[in-house]
Amino acid sequence: RSVNIVALGNERDGFSEDSQQPSLISSYLRRSALISQINSNLSASHVGNQVFTEYQACVFGNVRLVVHDCPIWDIFDSDWYTSYRLIGGADIIVFKYSVNDKTSFQELKDSYVPMIKKALNHCSVPVIISAIGARKNGVPCSCPLCTSDRRSCVTTSEGVQLAKELGATYLELHTLNDFYIQKCFGGVLEYFMIQSLNGKSSEKMKKRKKMQKCYRVQPPQLEQPEKMPILKGEASHYNADLHNLLCCCQCADVAFYPEDLSTAVEAHKIILCSVSHLFMLLFGVKSLSDTHDDSIVQLAQSLFAVEPGDPFPSSPHGAPPCVLPVRVVVKDSVFCSCLPDILHFIYSGAFQWERLEEDIKKKLKDPDKTEHVLEKVKCILKTPGKLNTVKDCKSHQIKQLNSTSLRLFFNTPVLADVIFKIQGATVPAHRAVLVARCEVMAAMFNGNYLEANSILVPVYGVSKDTFLSFLEYLYTDSCCPVSILQAMSLLICAEMYQVMRLQHICELYIITQLQSMPSRELASTSLSIVSLLKKAKFHNSDCLSTWLLHFIATNYLIFSQKPEFQELSVEERNFVEMHRWPSNLYLKQLADYRNYIHSQKCHCTVM
């Protein structure tokens, strides 16, 4: 017997300095008298990222307890396959948040609650929402390290409303002491564990009674179908793609110079603006009136000087001009000497802060100059109105900064230097992102092709919606198809442009959706699996086509009755017949068994 619990969310607020503060789950496991033999280890998603802690223990003496504790919500963006698999296998789900982190709570409501509702639609399990912490809505602190966000807390009514939306039990735990951990949280959790065990025991007894009804003559044993091929996900290379863009300097549209103009360091406006409000101000994406932080404005004016001139002169016939990079003079010579290292840090995803510190220390060999440069980098990366600390620059705080921020420039004309024309509509884009993320587009825009010398690029063979989904993946490294047909269209587009990871994501989505489809729905659906098979083969999706053949063979009795079954080739039909389930031998044995039962005039309740 076992109980599986999935816990999602972070109970620590953004202002806590205690990074070693125990979590709700670990506190309960350590303090509960019902828990024993606790083991824990870090586990990874199917794309290889360590995203949750797995606890294994015993509860109620001999019941196996498995808990997956995931502190980050963006697993639904970066790895929907793992998140849906965890929720689908859970007996109890716990959502937790800090009452003093209003920003994270709002992001949860706006971005992730719809995904959570969709995941919960496929399972009926109890949900506990735990609001953790004592609200700090008192007199604002005058300390410069504090921000206005500290006075903004999640109210009880907001938590109760979220619980109503999800059909959950709402708890407020003002602190993680014995009373709140064992009496409040533990009492509710243990009640649901008992309910889960009782439900499983009831189902087990029903199966046992059913099997004991007929022992006279045993029916033929139906073997399990052959295991289908397992399709593994491909690790993301998003940050590596952007870093390679800096190394090869393709499509560079800005060049940084020292005051003597002796050397140049090239970069890309779209990447710089995606991580920094300062660069948005510098390159005209935002105006002075949009920037409500004097420190950013002062640093931009004191550190950089953009040379005047029109970087985008007009050209006839829609052809792009010979655009020279915008020249930016770096007034601080020490900062300028470290600029290559700073750009490598930004293009690598802006999360290797410790490595940046070490590189600058080795180059300058002066603690004061090192601190001077690092403070400017912090100011460049800061969010307006907030005071950045070293903690904000740690890996786990901003590790997805580029993929999150580049979304702001998706399908917008801001800084766009290419326009796709598709189905009578236009879609603006940025060559730097396209070249970095797609080898086919890199060849198209940098080779001897018509597109390399044109701003307006026509697109054929795909719909506008599919192409927008494709571009969204290039910008954000994530995609969420809404149907199997849309996923197949996106797979075809990904194969056209040779973006293999997106193709694998679409394959995984199609397989997951088909696996979750009940037999009755599979028999009545108008979706043609054979048509999907033909498309997968035509577009070189070998893994998906092999899986679909096994899927047809495993559901032979359903598909053999459909007209589309006749569209299979001779080779495909032979494969399906060889691997069909149930097999011809079993059906013959079943017919013989039924004839024997009829001849003996013995009614068998099993069949």
Side-chain angles (χ1 to χ4, degrees):
R1 294 188 300 170
S2 65
V3 176
N4 293 305
I5 300 175
V6 174
L8 297 169
N10 194 345
E11 57 270 48
R12 302 185 181 94
D13 61 59
F15 308 98
S16 174
E17 297 295 333
D18 184 8
S19 61
Q20 303 300 320
Q21 177 186 349
S23 68
L24 172 63
I25 297 300
S26 63
S27 298
Y28 168 73
L29 294 176
R30 284 188 294 102
R31 298 184 186 186
S32 176
L34 300 176
I35 306 296
S36 62
Q37 303 178 22
I38 304 171
N39 293 312
S40 66
N41 63 284
L42 289 175
S43 298
S45 67
H46 83 284
V47 297
N49 297 321
Q50 291 186 348
V51 292
F52 55 81
T53 304
E54 180 181 312
Y55 298 93
Q56 295 193 17
C58 288
V59 64
F60 305 128
N62 61 347
V63 177
R64 182 168 174 261
L65 178 65
V66 180
V67 185
H68 292 92
D69 189 7
C70 179
I72 56 175
W73 289 106
D74 56 10
I75 186 176
F76 285 94
D77 283 333
S78 61
D79 195 355
W80 60 266
Y81 180 80
T82 297
S83 60
Y84 278 48
R85 178 175 58 82
L86 286 177
I87 289 180
D91 298 313
I92 303 170
I93 299 174
V94 178
F95 295 142
K96 45 197 171 70
Y97 62 87
S98 169
V99 297
N100 293 305
D101 195 349
K102 185 64 171 285
T103 303
S104 296
F105 179 82
Q106 198 62 41
E107 183 182 8
L108 164 63
K109 285 192 61 178
D110 296 341
S111 302
Y112 300 113
V113 164
M115 299 183 190
I116 293 170
K117 285 183 178 178
K118 183 178 179 182
L120 291 177
N121 284 338
H122 299 286
C123 58
S124 177
V125 296
V127 179
I128 303 173
I129 292 183
S130 300
I132 300 169
R135 293 181 177 82
K136 303 175 182 178
N137 276 329
V139 178
C141 179
S142 60
C143 172
L145 293 177
C146 299
T147 68
S148 59
D149 287 342
R150 190 175 186 118
R151 291 173 287 167
S152 182
C153 299
V154 183
T155 64
T156 300
S157 59
E158 289 175 318
V160 171
Q161 181 61 35
L162 176 62
K164 287 182 179 179
E165 289 184 33
L166 299 177
T169 300
Y170 177 74
L171 298 176
E172 282 204 358
L173 311 178
H174 294 173
T175 182
L176 298 183
N177 59 18
D178 287 340
F179 173 77
Y180 285 106
I181 290 291
Q182 297 189 47
K183 299 295 184 183
C184 297
F185 178 73
V188 174
L189 186 64
E190 288 155 13
Y191 168 79
F192 284 133
M193 284 194 283
I194 293 172
Q195 292 292 98
S196 174
L197 291 172
N198 288 341
K200 291 181 179 180
S201 298
S202 177
E203 291 178 7
K204 188 174 182 181
M205 287 300 298
K206 289 179 181 179
K207 291 181 180 179
R208 182 177 299 175
K209 289 179 180 179
K210 187 175 180 180
M211 293 299 294
Q212 290 174 348
K213 286 184 178 179
C214 181
Y215 279 104
R216 297 177 186 176
V217 178
Q218 295 298 322
Q221 296 296 316
L222 179 61
E223 297 180 353
Q224 292 296 318
E226 293 185 16
K227 290 186 177 180
M228 295 188 183
I230 298 176
L231 187 62
K232 295 183 178 180
E234 180 182 343
S236 172
H237 39 77
Y238 184 85
N239 290 332
D241 289 342
L242 296 183
H243 186 262
N244 291 337
L245 177 67
L246 176 66
C247 296
C248 67
C249 289
Q250 291 180 324
C251 302
D253 54 6
V254 58
F256 293 94
Y257 289 86
E259 290 187 301
D260 59 2
L261 304 181
S262 58
T263 57
V265 179
E266 292 186 328
H268 307 82
K269 294 179 183 177
I270 180 69
I271 306 299
L272 300 178
C273 291
S274 73
V275 301
S276 171
H277 288 265
L278 184 145
F279 286 120
M280 288 186 183
L281 178 64
L282 193 68
F283 298 127
V285 175
K286 287 192 173 183
S287 63
L288 289 173
S289 59
D290 297 328
T291 305
H292 306 291
D293 193 318
D294 293 339
S295 63
I296 292 180
V297 176
Q298 292 172 3
L299 181 63
Q301 294 174 345
S302 63
L303 188 59
F304 300 108
V306 179
E307 290 197 353
D310 184 7
F312 298 104
S314 59
S315 60
H317 310 300
C322 183
V323 179
L324 295 176
V326 175
R327 298 176 63 165
V328 179
V329 176
V330 183
K331 301 178 183 178
D332 189 322
S333 59
V334 177
F335 183 89
C336 188
S337 67
C338 299
L339 189 57
D341 298 302
I342 296 170
L343 290 178
H344 277 283
F345 164 72
I346 291 175
Y347 276 72
S348 297
F351 70 94
Q352 298 176 343
W353 181 258
E354 295 84 354
R355 181 175 176 180
L356 177 64
E357 285 182 319
E358 290 298 321
D359 291 343
I360 294 179
K361 285 179 183 177
K362 289 180 181 179
K363 176 169 289 187
L364 298 181
K365 298 178 181 179
D366 184 326
D368 293 336
K369 291 182 178 179
T370 299
E371 184 64 25
H372 167 78
V373 172
L374 292 176
E375 286 299 323
K376 290 187 182 298
V377 175
K378 292 177 191 177
C379 188
I380 289 175
L381 296 178
K382 74 177 294 190
T383 301
K386 292 187 178 181
L387 182 65
N388 271 25
T389 64
V390 174
K391 180 181 177 182
D392 295 327
C393 299
K394 297 299 183 182
S395 303
H396 66 277
Q397 293 288 339
I398 53 175
K399 65 181 180 181
Q400 289 189 317
L401 189 57
N402 280 330
S403 62
T404 301
S405 301
L406 273 179
R407 186 184 294 274
L408 299 175
F409 297 93
F410 166 65
N411 197 23
T412 64
V414 179
L415 298 179
D417 53 6
V418 62
I419 298 174
F420 292 103
K421 186 174 182 180
I422 179 169
Q423 292 184 331
T426 57
V427 178
H430 307 82
R431 291 175 187 257
V433 178
L434 305 178
V435 166
R437 298 281 287 139
C438 177
E439 293 182 1
V440 171
M441 287 195 174
M444 184 172 70
F445 288 125
N446 292 294
N448 297 320
Y449 296 97
L450 181 64
E451 292 84 357
N453 300 310
S454 177
I455 290 179
L456 194 63
V457 177
V459 177
Y460 306 101
V462 294
S463 68
K464 178 189 174 184
D465 291 339
T466 300
F467 192 70
L468 279 173
S469 297
F470 171 74
L471 289 182
E472 184 178 13
Y473 169 79
L474 297 185
Y475 277 73
T476 66
D477 203 39
S478 65
C479 72
C480 291
V482 297
S483 67
I484 292 177
L485 290 179
Q486 186 190 38
M488 178 55 75
S489 299
L490 190 54
L491 183 150
I492 294 172
C493 184
E495 190 269 340
M496 182 189 306
Y497 288 99
Q498 293 296 294
V499 182
M500 304 310 297
R501 182 170 180 266
L502 177 58
Q503 190 171 350
H504 291 158
I505 290 175
C506 294
E507 290 173 339
L508 275 172
Y509 177 87
I510 293 171
I511 290 173
T512 303
Q513 292 298 108
L514 290 176
Q515 281 180 328
S516 64
M517 192 176 292
S519 297
R520 182 176 297 177
E521 183 180 351
L522 195 61
S524 61
T525 182
S526 60
L527 179 68
S528 173
I529 306 301
V530 175
S531 176
L532 292 179
L533 171 64
K534 299 293 185 184
K535 289 180 180 179
K537 280 194 169 185
F538 185 79
H539 293 282
N540 304 310
S541 181
D542 297 332
C543 294
L544 180 60
S545 61
T546 302
W547 188 92
L548 287 172
L549 269 178
H550 277 274
F551 185 69
I552 293 172
T554 303
N555 296 274
Y556 182 88
L557 295 180
I558 294 176
F559 288 108
S560 61
Q561 305 301 316
K562 288 176 173 280
E564 65 185 82
F565 190 77
Q566 306 303 320
E567 300 174 14
L568 291 172
S569 66
V570 175
E571 181 184 356
E572 293 166 347
R573 181 80 66 86
N574 291 337
F575 178 91
V576 170
E577 293 290 346
M578 182 181 299
H579 298 84
R580 58 174 288 180
W581 186 87
S583 65
N584 275 323
L585 176 61
Y586 170 80
L587 294 178
K588 183 178 181 302
Q589 291 174 344
L590 182 61
D592 293 342
Y593 170 76
R594 284 173 171 167
N595 291 334
Y596 171 80
I597 294 297
H598 180 72
S599 66
Q600 298 294 318
K601 298 181 180 180
C602 175
H603 179 68
C604 178
T605 57
V606 172
M607 299 306 298

